[in-house]
Amino acid sequence: MSKLRFGVIGIGNMGSGHAYSLLSGKVRGAELTAVCDGFESKREWARTHLNGAAVFEDSSSMIDSGLVDAVIVATPHYDHPTEAIQAFDKGMHVLIEKPAGVYVKQVREMNEAAASSGRTFGIVYNQRMNPLYRKLRELIASGELGEIRRTNWLITNWYRSQAYYDSGSWRATWAGEGGGVLINQCPHNLDLWQWTTGMMPVRVRAFCAFGKHRNIEVEDDVTAYVEYANGATGVFITTTGEAPGTNRFEVTGDRGKIVIEDDKLTFWRLRESERAFNARNKEAFGAPECWKVEVPIHGGSTEHVGIIQNFTDAVLNGTPLIAPGEEGIHGLTISNAIHLSTWIDGWVDLPLDEALHEAELNKRIAESSSRKAQVQTDAKPADLTGTF
């Protein structure tokens, strides 16, 4: 195979953006050969704007056409696992948009289907291409920071107005999206939280406010506290109702502290480990010597195109995936645990009680103001400016 032929499932905002990236030749070794969508208005848009790509009503027909080797799943959240499993069953390589799904059980089933298929499976965690977070991961994995003791992420710059939520009947509903800021805006942050540190929590206590700042039924304000197996703790705070917002990720270890904020990575590095200093220190108010280091970051982030390029290289050349699809379950597990902790008003241990979470979610879906049939009606294709 000299070129990987892509089909895009769902040509709303993200799907149309991916289609344009492929069509314009931004991804080496890849080509857009087909797209599909259940809405005629979007298919008509595709016929006009995606010259040369075959247009289908559904993914099954597109895959059965023999025109594609791989698919990008860019449908509403609930349908990501369903579409991926069907594609694996038909021998496709699969790249899914974030989040991996809405609840862990369906994502676990998707991961099992991927493993059985033997095909390449990726997820569009485009923030893994950001050199800031790649450097943080490198510093932690190398032991430069020592054993992690605390993580704190204050991510409140996801501002969304009521007009944003009113732009689609499916937005910010349990039936339409399956959640609010955690499932829509924060999947990247939740992924990076565990990916950079290499740590998953062992238990979670969280407090979500539903419709606190906006007239919506899902969470728009979250404070979560987590504990790790090594005794470290973490806090994750997010909202869509705060302006101006903050994005500050802080990781403290035995050998100092790293902060990512304002597109900079700062390392307050201890001359010796805190543990070693404490063992030898005899001064009542002594403290370890510390150097402030502004860590140089080289290059920019290739974002979505970078992920699609890496996925293409993985299929064609065996290049290791930066964002394996199977890893989508990690951030989603944290998200599910945060929801569940709020719903039951108590601690949630990991591994997650998937059945309990699904039962609680289904209660809210049953009362939701949206229905899945409405989910795609308001999603618009991108305007082909490259911003989506």
Side-chain angles (χ1 to χ4, degrees), residues 17 25 33 39 43 48 69 71 81 91 130 141 186-187 202 206 219 237 265 285 287 299 313 337 340 353 381:
T33 53
F39 288 88
R43 295 197 296 273
T48 302
D69 310 305
V71 297
N130 189 322
C186 281
V202 294
E219 82 284 350
I237 298 173
L265 190 154
F285 294 97
D313 293 341
L340 183 58
D353 186 336

Side-chain angles (χ1 to χ4, degrees), residues 240-256:
T240 54
E242 191 169 297
T246 298
N247 184 357
R248 179 183 173 93
F249 185 23
E250 182 174 311
V251 185
T252 301
D254 185 52
R255 298 194 63 90

Side-chain angles (χ1 to χ4, degrees), residues 76-79 102-103 106 169-180 183 217-218 343 360-376:
H77 303 158
Y78 279 103
D79 295 331
V102 175
Y103 53 98
Q106 63 171 181
S169 60
W170 54 279
R171 286 195 186 280
T173 62
W174 292 112
E177 289 195 283
I183 205 74
E217 62 188 45
V218 295
W343 293 336
E360 290 293 327
L361 175 62
N362 284 335
K363 291 178 186 178
R364 286 149 183 86
I365 292 174
E367 300 173 352
S368 178
S369 62
S370 176
R371 287 294 174 265
K372 286 185 69 177
Q374 297 176 301
V375 168
Q376 296 188 67

Side-chain angles (χ1 to χ4, degrees), residues 134-180:
R134 294 170 71 86
K135 176 58 72 172
L136 173 62
R137 175 179 162 88
E138 175 190 320
L139 290 170
I140 292 173
S142 68
E144 291 283 328
L145 190 60
E147 183 181 27
I148 292 175
R149 293 184 168 183
R150 189 183 307 278
T151 67
N152 294 285
W153 204 332
L154 179 62
I155 173 69
T156 60
N157 64 346
W158 285 121
Y159 185 80
R160 295 293 185 271
S161 68
Q162 188 64 47
Y164 165 83
Y165 292 114
D166 292 343
S167 67
S169 60
W170 54 279
R171 286 195 186 280
T173 62
W174 292 112
E177 289 195 283

